[in-house]
Amino acid sequence: MGWPDVAGDTALTIKVPEADPLVRAGFPAHVTVLYPFLHESRIDGRVHHELRALFRSYDAFDLTFAEFARYPGVLYLAPRPAGPIRALTRELTGRWPEAVPYRGLFGEGLDPHLTVANHEGPETWERAYDALETECASALPVTSRIAAVHLIVRDGDRWRDRTAYPLGGVGEVGEAGEVGEQGGGGVRAGVTPGCPPGPRTG
């Protein structure tokens, strides 16, 4: 199923660059905090200020991805603990109730997840993802320090970084979405899809 994305859609996500080599879905490894958020035209200085204050009230945290799970047609990694992500989503939807997770397509939303693959059809996905799990099992667990939440914007047919909001005490983040040396948000250049030979940690 294709998402009903339109230009100007936004989302709030957590980047997990340590998991990029495992992902076959055609986009960087991430966990969605809230999709969609407000339309880009509504995100003014006041909204930025409120988001910055909201995320600063949460401490940075670690996520570990140690096991695969599935939705129909989707292979994903389940983050542990999921509680900090759920808490962020609850606070955001409490402050902006019009931002309904996944546009209400899945009731109250989906459990936090990092999509690994979503390209197989109904006739092939079970077999293909069995093989992919076997191939990538030695790469787990993956651990990442989460230091920022990123605002991304749908620009035509692509998602682009807009702003990264640091979690409590991490430090300032530029408009391009780069986090400083404390990690948890920068995009790594030159990552080649595929499973590394052993465990990776952030």
Side-chain angles (χ1 to χ4, degrees), residues 170-194:
V170 170
E172 287 299 329
V173 184
E175 280 294 307
E178 294 297 330
V179 179
E181 293 181 358
Q182 299 183 53
V187 177
R188 293 190 305 171
V191 172
T192 301

Side-chain angles (χ1 to χ4, degrees), residues 102-182:
Y102 299 99
R103 305 187 201 275
L105 293 173
F106 304 102
E108 296 182 358
L110 297 172
D111 288 335
H113 61 281
L114 189 158
T115 298
V116 173
N118 61 358
H119 56 281
E120 294 288 340
E123 302 301 322
T124 61
W125 70 271
E126 291 277 13
R127 183 174 63 257
Y129 295 161
D130 285 347
L132 186 54
E133 283 191 31
T134 299
E135 179 185 350
C136 293
S138 65
L140 302 181
V142 172
T143 299
S144 183
R145 182 70 171 170
I146 306 305
V149 176
H150 294 253
L151 175 69
I152 60 175
V153 178
R154 188 74 172 178
D155 179 8
D157 60 354
R158 297 181 60 187
W159 287 97
R160 299 184 184 275
D161 282 350
R162 169 73 179 274
T163 306
Y165 301 99
L167 298 177
V170 170
E172 287 299 329
V173 184
E175 280 294 307
E178 294 297 330
V179 179
E181 293 181 358
Q182 299 183 53

Side-chain angles (χ1 to χ4, degrees), residues 12-174:
L12 292 159
T13 70
I14 289 168
K15 295 186 179 183
V16 187
E18 295 84 0
D20 278 338
L22 282 72
V23 172
R24 310 296 175 82
F27 42 73
H30 69 281
V31 178
T32 298
V33 178
L34 181 57
Y35 160 86
F37 185 50
L38 306 180
H39 190 272
E40 183 182 22
S41 62
R42 294 188 53 194
I43 301 180
D44 55 13
R46 179 184 60 80
V47 172
H48 279 301
H49 177 78
E50 292 184 33
L51 287 171
R52 188 174 297 112
L54 185 155
F55 291 123
R56 280 191 181 280
S57 71
Y58 286 82
D59 290 334
F61 56 93
D62 291 331
L63 287 180
T64 297
F65 302 84
E67 59 185 359
F68 292 102
R70 301 183 191 186
Y71 297 122
V74 178
L75 177 67
Y76 68 91
L77 290 167
R80 298 289 182 267
I85 304 168
R86 291 192 177 104
L88 288 169
T89 303
R90 282 196 302 269
E91 184 152 357
L92 287 162
T93 55
R95 170 62 186 82
W96 290 280
E98 66 271 40
V100 178
Y102 299 99
R103 305 187 201 275
L105 293 173
F106 304 102
E108 296 182 358
L110 297 172
D111 288 335
H113 61 281
L114 189 158
T115 298
V116 173
N118 61 358
H119 56 281
E120 294 288 340
E123 302 301 322
T124 61
W125 70 271
E126 291 277 13
R127 183 174 63 257
Y129 295 161
D130 285 347
L132 186 54
E133 283 191 31
T134 299
E135 179 185 350
C136 293
S138 65
L140 302 181
V142 172
T143 299
S144 183
R145 182 70 171 170
I146 306 305
V149 176
H150 294 253
L151 175 69
I152 60 175
V153 178
R154 188 74 172 178
D155 179 8
D157 60 354
R158 297 181 60 187
W159 287 97
R160 299 184 184 275
D161 282 350
R162 169 73 179 274
T163 306
Y165 301 99
L167 298 177
V170 170
E172 287 299 329
V173 184

